Amino acid sequence: MRVNGSWSWHERRTDQLPARPAVPSPAGSTATTNAPSPTFRLRGLDQDHDAAIAGLTLPYSNGPIEGVNTKTKLIKRQMYGRAGFPLLRHRILLA
């Protein structure tokens, strides 16, 4: 699809993908693959273009929060079967 005389982002991108060789199906099999095409996957990025650009260009990240969540889950797994919630809460607050 052309937009203002240029190709849209996902069509430019799919032109750069290498051609995939056909994989023969087993004898007597009529099953087809349900894997989405590359164009289908890139269409989602094209629909949410502003969010994709913001995620790649802004200095903000949810990495620190993900780290806290990971540490909390690790402590929770270590505490499984031990003392109750008050000790778990205490360990998380000290971490």
Side-chain angles (χ1 to χ4, degrees), residues 10-20 37-42:
H10 73 275
E11 288 178 338
R12 285 195 316 260
R13 189 73 181 121
T14 54
D15 290 342
Q16 297 172 4
L17 294 174
R20 292 174 35 182
S37 68
T39 304
F40 177 77
R41 283 187 231 125
L42 295 174

Side-chain angles (χ1 to χ4, degrees), residues 2 4 14 16 23 48-50 52 57-58 64 66-67 78 81 87 95:
R2 285 184 169 255
N4 297 332
T14 54
Q16 297 172 4
V23 177
D48 208 7
H49 186 262
D50 294 336
T57 57
L58 293 177
E66 291 297 330
Q78 289 174 344
L87 183 60

Side-chain angles (χ1 to χ4, degrees), residues 15-84:
D15 290 342
Q16 297 172 4
L17 294 174
R20 292 174 35 182
V23 177
S25 60
S29 173
T30 59
T32 59
T33 180
N34 290 332
S37 68
T39 304
F40 177 77
R41 283 187 231 125
L42 295 174
R43 191 177 310 139
L45 283 177
D46 200 32
Q47 290 172 349
D48 208 7
H49 186 262
D50 294 336
I53 295 299
L56 295 172
T57 57
L58 293 177
Y60 308 111
S61 169
N62 66 341
I65 292 176
E66 291 297 330
V68 169
N69 289 343
T70 302
K71 185 183 283 189
T72 303
K73 289 179 181 182
L74 177 88
I75 293 171
K76 181 180 130 185
R77 288 185 196 114
Q78 289 174 344
M79 292 292 294
Y80 183 78
R82 296 178 188 236

